Amino acid sequence: MFVLKNVRYKNILYIDHLVIPKGRITCITGESGSGKTTLLKLLNNLISSDSGEIFYMGKNMREIDPVQLRREVVLLPQTPVIFPGTIKDNLLIGRRFSERPPVGDDELSVLLEKTRLSKDLASSAAELSGGEKQRLALCRVLLMEPDALLLDEPTSALDNDTADLVMGLVANYARDKRKTIVMVTHSKELARIYGEKLVTINGGRIVHVEEVAE
Amino acid sequence: MKGIAEIGFSQLLAAYVFLILLLVMASRQGIDKEKEIIVSALRMTFQLVLMGYVLVYILEFNSLLLSACTLFLMELFAVKNIYSRVKVEINPRLRRVIVFSMFTGTVTPLLYFLLAVINISPWYEARYFIPIAGMFIGNSMTGVSLGTERLIDSIKTKRELIEGALMLGATPKQAAKIAVNDAFTAAIMPTINSMVGMGIVFLPGMMTGQILSGISPLTAIKYQIAIMLGVLGSVSLTVFMLVRLGYKTFFNERAQLVG
């Protein structure tokens, strides 16, 4: 789905060659400050590389409309972004931005419950705790049903149990809908369990790539 | 109707008593601002005397070219004033947006006002053209200063929210909407608020001037109402153009938030 060739970004990232397969879960691990988040931002075109090429579905990213790309390749940042308004507003804002019809309240409630976030849709989103906000933001991007999801430490604010639950949900979603997931995590354990391709970055360079057999 | 009483030179000097009063109070209280007070008063005096002579000349000639040149100079000073009033760095593209907004946002309502509301002949009659242009430009200048400052500040403080929206496939326009609306509101509120107190809390300078010169208060208020609406139109238009064109200067051609 993504192919990176000789990609350089400032003095943060140097990737000579990397393939991210379609319809699979790729996990990126590495120390903090190693350039993992920068890599996700490049894939979402929130930033552009200084040199080198990134291909998305065989097309050079520089020739793709960035807004259209971001509607197909959605990035979930590590710190959840909460917009002013209710939980419902926050769930639907992704679909609104990408100009897709809203989904019904029932579907929203079911999804929230799957992440153990049983809250009233009409209550204010600003009052949620850190972990709750993180799950809300994850639900928001799942509702957008993008071709590829870029997840930056999606369970960093969750306890182990909830993290397992949420990761299971994401993995099921990817399998059922044949979606591509690229997940940044500092947890080698999570990467081992859910990753189908493991990439380790250190100091902005890829130091290890491993395909996990089915 | 009798005209206004002429103020003689010695009478004018008598008015400087107020300045001396302030200086005495300041030095008694140990407020170290004497220099600024004196400089400001001198500037006020000098600028107004100069303006008086310039206006006599402009009104006497009453030529379109001369009025247009005066308008151009006023716009230049207003833009310069905006640049210095805004305390944060303004990017070069935003500077161009400010110039464009100030010129089009004040001249368009000014032409409409002179042609459709005042409806005098010739329409560029300097006695109307210059003071009305001054009020439009002056108020728009304040609005644009406030709007520019708030826009820059808002985009900076709401950076996470704006980038968060971009990550979800929002267009720069959708993503920046929060900051754009914020800046627009901050910029037009002073004008809106000034309408509330008008006539009760204070009499606007122009109206006071007309009444002093012997014009019926009923005529004076009609002018004041019309001018106030004109000012509102001019401020709204300049600020609207500023924020709607201005937010774009914070994004590059790849729809990324820069700066």
Side-chain angles (χ1 to χ4, degrees), chain B residues 39 66 95 99 116 139 169 189 208 210 215-216 232 248 259:
Chain B
V39 168
L66 199 58
R95 280 172 187 261
V99 172
N139 284 283
M189 273 332 275
T208 313
Q210 281 184 314
I215 291 187
S216 157
L232 184 70
K248 293 184 184 170

Side-chain angles (χ1 to χ4, degrees), chain B residues 111-257:
Chain B
L111 290 179
Y112 174 83
F113 199 82
L114 291 170
L115 293 169
V117 181
I118 305 276
N119 195 14
I120 34 152
S121 171
W123 62 269
Y124 54 84
E125 170 91 51
R127 194 153 61 90
Y128 294 86
F129 187 97
I130 301 295
I132 294 173
M135 281 185 271
F136 282 18
I137 294 172
N139 284 283
S140 299
M141 175 181 84
T142 309
V144 169
S145 304
L146 290 170
T148 306
E149 202 157 70
R150 184 59 81 90
L151 185 67
I152 296 172
D153 181 66
S154 217
I155 286 188
K156 204 168 162 189
T157 53
K158 297 192 164 69
R159 190 181 181 98
E160 249 180 47
L161 217 52
I162 295 170
E163 286 207 311
L166 289 177
M167 288 174 199
L168 297 170
T171 58
K173 189 177 167 182
Q174 290 170 320
K177 194 178 165 199
I178 259 183
V180 163
N181 288 357
D182 202 25
F184 186 78
T185 314
I188 62 159
M189 273 332 275
T191 309
I192 307 272
N193 287 337
S194 75
M195 291 200 292
V196 176
M198 201 155 281
I200 300 177
V201 187
F202 65 99
L203 288 182
M206 186 199 71
M207 193 171 138
T208 313
Q210 281 184 314
I211 294 173
L212 282 176
S213 65
I215 291 187
S216 157
L218 294 181
T219 308
I221 58 152
K222 277 190 262 176
Y223 266 92
Q224 188 57 49
I225 292 171
I227 293 276
M228 199 55 227
L229 294 172
V231 163
L232 184 70
S234 173
V235 172
S236 318
L237 199 62
T238 40
V239 171
F240 186 73
M241 287 200 288
L242 171 83
V243 293
R244 286 301 296 271
L245 299 171
Y247 83 84
K248 293 184 184 170
T249 67
F250 295 89
F251 294 90
N252 65 15
E253 73 290 347
R254 296 302 297 167
Q256 296 161 349
L257 187 59

Side-chain angles (χ1 to χ4, degrees), chain A residues 44-48 61-62 64 66-67 70-71 74-75 77 81-84 97 140-141 144, chain B residues 160-172 174-175 177-178 252-257:
Chain A
N44 178 258
N45 205 213
L46 205 64
I47 51 177
S48 293
M61 203 174 266
R62 290 177 208 276
I64 304 175
V67 173
R70 289 180 202 137
R71 290 174 182 180
V74 173
L75 171 54
V81 175
I82 298 299
F83 296 90
F97 282 147
R140 170 164 65 209
V141 297
M144 293 174 70
Chain B
E160 249 180 47
L161 217 52
I162 295 170
E163 286 207 311
L166 289 177
M167 288 174 199
L168 297 170
T171 58
Q174 290 170 320
K177 194 178 165 199
I178 259 183
N252 65 15
E253 73 290 347
R254 296 302 297 167
Q256 296 161 349
L257 187 59

Side-chain angles (χ1 to χ4, degrees), chain A residues 5-17:
Chain A
K5 284 182 184 162
N6 299 317
V7 170
R8 297 277 178 283
Y9 182 78
K10 294 187 177 160
N11 51 2
I12 300 173
L13 209 61
Y14 315 83
I15 294 182
D16 293 331
H17 187 76

Side-chain angles (χ1 to χ4, degrees), chain B residues 60 74 77 94 98 133 144 146 168 183:
Chain B
E60 204 163 295
M74 287 198 285
F77 276 110
L94 189 57
I98 290 173
V144 169
L146 290 170
L168 297 170

Side-chain angles (χ1 to χ4, degrees), chain B residues 17-187:
Chain B
V17 162
F18 296 117
L19 179 67
I20 292 165
L21 185 71
L22 172 61
L23 285 172
V24 170
M25 288 191 292
S27 79
R28 278 267 177 100
Q29 289 292 317
I31 300 167
D32 196 20
K33 288 281 174 214
E34 285 99 336
K35 206 180 145 198
E36 279 94 332
I37 297 168
I38 293 172
V39 168
S40 306
L42 283 177
R43 273 192 67 163
M44 183 268 292
T45 310
F46 176 75
Q47 284 163 199
L48 284 179
V49 168
L50 188 72
M51 199 46 163
Y53 282 104
V54 170
L55 277 177
V56 165
Y57 185 77
I58 293 173
L59 296 194
E60 204 163 295
F61 262 84
N62 197 23
S63 90
L64 178 58
L65 184 69
L66 199 58
S67 292
C69 287
T70 314
L71 176 78
F72 185 76
L73 276 179
M74 287 198 285
E75 298 275 14
L76 279 190
F77 276 110
V79 168
K80 207 175 144 254
N81 202 305
I82 293 168
Y83 288 170
S84 64
R85 261 213 247 176
V86 176
K87 291 293 169 229
V88 283
E89 166 129 7
I90 313 174
N91 73 54
R93 278 165 71 203
L94 189 57
R95 280 172 187 261
R96 287 198 287 276
V97 168
I98 290 173
V99 172
F100 178 78
S101 309
M102 276 303 290
F103 273 81
T104 27
T106 54
V107 171
T108 320
L110 179 65
L111 290 179
Y112 174 83
F113 199 82
L114 291 170
L115 293 169
V117 181
I118 305 276
N119 195 14
I120 34 152
S121 171
W123 62 269
Y124 54 84
E125 170 91 51
R127 194 153 61 90
Y128 294 86
F129 187 97
I130 301 295
I132 294 173
M135 281 185 271
F136 282 18
I137 294 172
N139 284 283
S140 299
M141 175 181 84
T142 309
V144 169
S145 304
L146 290 170
T148 306
E149 202 157 70
R150 184 59 81 90
L151 185 67
I152 296 172
D153 181 66
S154 217
I155 286 188
K156 204 168 162 189
T157 53
K158 297 192 164 69
R159 190 181 181 98
E160 249 180 47
L161 217 52
I162 295 170
E163 286 207 311
L166 289 177
M167 288 174 199
L168 297 170
T171 58
K173 189 177 167 182
Q174 290 170 320
K177 194 178 165 199
I178 259 183
V180 163
N181 288 357
D182 202 25
F184 186 78
T185 314

